[in-house]
Structures are given as structure tokens and as C-alpha cells.
Amino acid sequence: MSLLIVVAVIGLLAKKQVGALPGAGIASGTSVNGSVPVVNPQQQSQQLQKHVKRSVEDAMKQARPEVEDK
């Protein structure tokens, strides 16, 4: 379970880094007119925590495959 959480956090951080690179297209968080909304670090941290929590909860809801012992 902890491995799943680590992979989710690393994936989110990698996605943020790729979006921050110049020439990577439209960065996440930009609006249609090109202005970037101001988000303080505390709000960003809370959003990330909520996203990871939802990801973990969704993973816990998935049915585990049944293993047949032979």
C-alpha cells in the first residue's frame, strides 16, 4: 500500500515538473485567455493531498483478483 502512495506522489511531481518546462505546451493551471491564476503554496499543498487521498481511496475500492490455489 505504501508503495502505491509513493508511486502516486512521484507521478504527480513528475507531471508538475514536465508542465513547468518551457515549450511544454500550455502549463497546467492556465486559463483560456492565458492568465495564470495565483495559488499560494498552502492551497496547492491541500489540493495535492486531496488528490492523493482520492487516488488511494479509488485504489482501495478496486476489487482484488481472485487467486486459485492448485
Side-chain angles (χ1 to χ4, degrees):
M1 178 53 119
S2 61
L3 182 60
L4 179 64
I5 294 171
V6 170
V7 170
V9 170
I10 290 173
L12 290 172
L13 292 174
K15 184 177 177 183
K16 279 177 119 177
Q17 290 296 324
V18 170
L21 293 176
I26 298 174
S28 62
T30 58
S31 64
V32 176
N33 63 5
S35 64
V36 179
V38 178
V39 179
N40 67 26
Q42 183 179 8
Q43 289 174 335
Q44 192 173 16
S45 174
Q46 290 173 348
Q47 289 175 351
L48 180 61
Q49 290 174 5
K50 288 178 184 178
H51 182 72
V52 170
K53 182 179 177 182
R54 272 188 255 125
S55 297
V56 170
E57 288 173 350
D58 290 343
M60 293 294 291
K61 291 178 184 176
Q62 292 179 357
R64 293 187 345 186
E66 295 184 21
V67 178
E68 295 181 22
D69 292 331
K70 293 184 178 182

